[in-house]
Amino acid sequence: MEFFSVYFNLIPVTLVQGLAYAFVATGIMIPFRLINLPDLSSEGTFPLGGCLVATLIAAGLHPVLATLLAACCGFAAGAGTALIHLKFKVHSLLAGILTVTMLWSLNLRIMGKPNSALFGLPNVFDWLHPAIAGSLLLQCLFFLVLHILLIGLLWWGLQTHAGLALRGVGANSQLAPSLGINAVRYTVFGFGMANAITAFAGALIAQSQGYADVSMGLGLLVNGLASAIIGEAITGRRHLLAQLCAPVVGAVAYYQLGSVALSLGLAPSDLKFATGLFVLMTIGWPVLTGKRPGAALNA
């Protein structure tokens, strides 16, 4: 009985967390799946969005404009990662590590300190309606509407000529130039778009929790990857819409699994280990069962 009592009390909180961090899972999924290049920049662009929005709002800028500017800066950071990879022939993983390392110092420079409070300052939730900040249900609806809009835009955009070209680069980057596709341009745009979504999430979450911290992206990549893997196991990848919905479904399911773990008595400090172990088992399962190695990530 105690398990159910604790679990049901956690559901509203983890549901909001799942929907909020699903933007990060979407930002991680785009390079991994659509462009077929791993990217670690999200651990830097997520706090970049939070730190920048905190500084801009504290300086008196409208929270909506501050959030949009944070997303634009995330786009620039992601594009920078892609250019490092393409122009300097650095592996995309190392390029992402370099970006995260540089953004750590940049985030400290932006805020002038490791963390910054937003309590008492205007935010996008108050701008829409003051009741949103104090209601978990309204926050769920807010994030859900944003996800529907984002998935709709991505689904439409990825079926246009430019979207098909982007997917073509991910399908076969060697063949793309012979089809008249500028692989560099679309890779840069794809990385930028993914990290703009991640920085946008960082800006929203910083306003939701009332503070920004330079360490708020620590371990975020593993959580996002776990969400994407869980989501793909649920929705599949047979068509584009299922692929776009997978990070959202997976993030909600992942944070509910966290609720179950906490309800069973697992310490919050152990969740990172449990997450890493889960991702390792998911990736390694096809190898252990005799399927194609790496199928969990490359299927």
Side-chain angles (χ1 to χ4, degrees):
M1 291 299 293
E2 183 180 355
F3 165 79
F4 290 105
S5 176
V6 174
Y7 176 67
F8 284 115
N9 286 332
L10 287 173
I11 286 178
V13 177
T14 51
L15 187 58
V16 172
Q17 286 181 330
L19 289 172
Y21 283 94
F23 291 106
V24 180
T26 300
I28 290 173
M29 178 273 295
I30 290 173
F32 270 88
R33 291 304 192 193
L34 300 183
I35 309 176
N36 202 26
L37 284 172
D39 178 30
L40 303 180
S41 304
S42 56
E43 291 209 6
T45 53
F46 179 79
L48 173 65
C51 294
L52 193 59
V53 81
T55 302
L56 292 174
I57 290 176
L61 191 66
H62 194 284
V64 175
L65 291 177
T67 303
L68 293 177
L69 281 174
C72 290
C73 289
F75 183 97
T81 300
L83 289 172
I84 292 172
H85 164 64
L86 295 167
K87 297 301 183 180
F88 295 101
K89 307 303 179 183
V90 176
H91 194 282
S92 62
L93 288 175
L94 180 55
I97 292 172
L98 291 172
T99 299
V100 171
T101 302
M102 290 186 287
L103 286 178
W104 174 272
S105 297
L106 182 60
N107 291 336
L108 278 172
R109 179 68 66 178
I110 288 172
M111 289 200 303
K113 50 188 175 181
N115 50 67
S116 179
L118 285 166
F119 298 109
L121 296 175
N123 56 61
V124 291
F125 304 102
D126 292 334
W127 175 71
L128 286 170
H129 197 285
I132 295 178
S135 171
L136 293 176
L137 176 59
L138 291 178
Q139 289 180 40
C140 286
L141 292 175
F142 171 73
F143 286 121
L144 185 59
V145 169
L146 286 181
H147 279 299
I148 292 172
L149 292 174
L150 178 61
I151 291 172
L153 285 172
L154 289 174
W155 180 75
W156 170 79
L158 289 171
Q159 295 183 89
T160 62
H161 177 76
L164 291 172
L166 175 66
R167 294 160 65 188
V169 171
N172 193 329
S173 59
Q174 303 299 321
L175 179 63
S178 65
L179 299 176
I181 299 173
N182 189 323
V184 172
R185 178 189 304 167
Y186 286 104
T187 301
V188 169
F189 177 78
F191 270 57
M193 176 176 62
N195 285 280
I197 295 171
T198 303
F200 176 75
L204 287 180
I205 290 172
Q207 293 173 78
S208 174
Q209 65 189 13
Y211 70 94
D213 192 286
V214 293
S215 301
M216 59 191 292
L218 184 63
L220 199 68
L221 183 71
V222 175
N223 292 354
L225 185 59
S227 299
I229 292 173
I230 293 173
E232 289 175 359
I234 296 173
T235 67
R237 297 177 55 210
R238 293 183 179 274
H239 49 82
L240 178 61
L241 186 59
Q243 178 69 79
L244 295 176
C245 290
V248 181
V249 174
V252 172
Y254 168 74
Y255 280 92
Q256 291 307 309
L257 289 175
S259 295
V260 172
L262 291 173
S263 302
L264 290 172
L266 193 69
S269 58
D270 295 332
L271 289 179
K272 295 291 185 183
F273 179 83
T275 298
L277 185 63
F278 172 78
V279 173
L280 184 62
M281 291 175 60
T282 305
I283 296 173
W285 181 253
V287 180
L288 297 176
T289 55
K291 296 182 180 180
R292 181 168 59 89
L297 284 178
N298 302 317

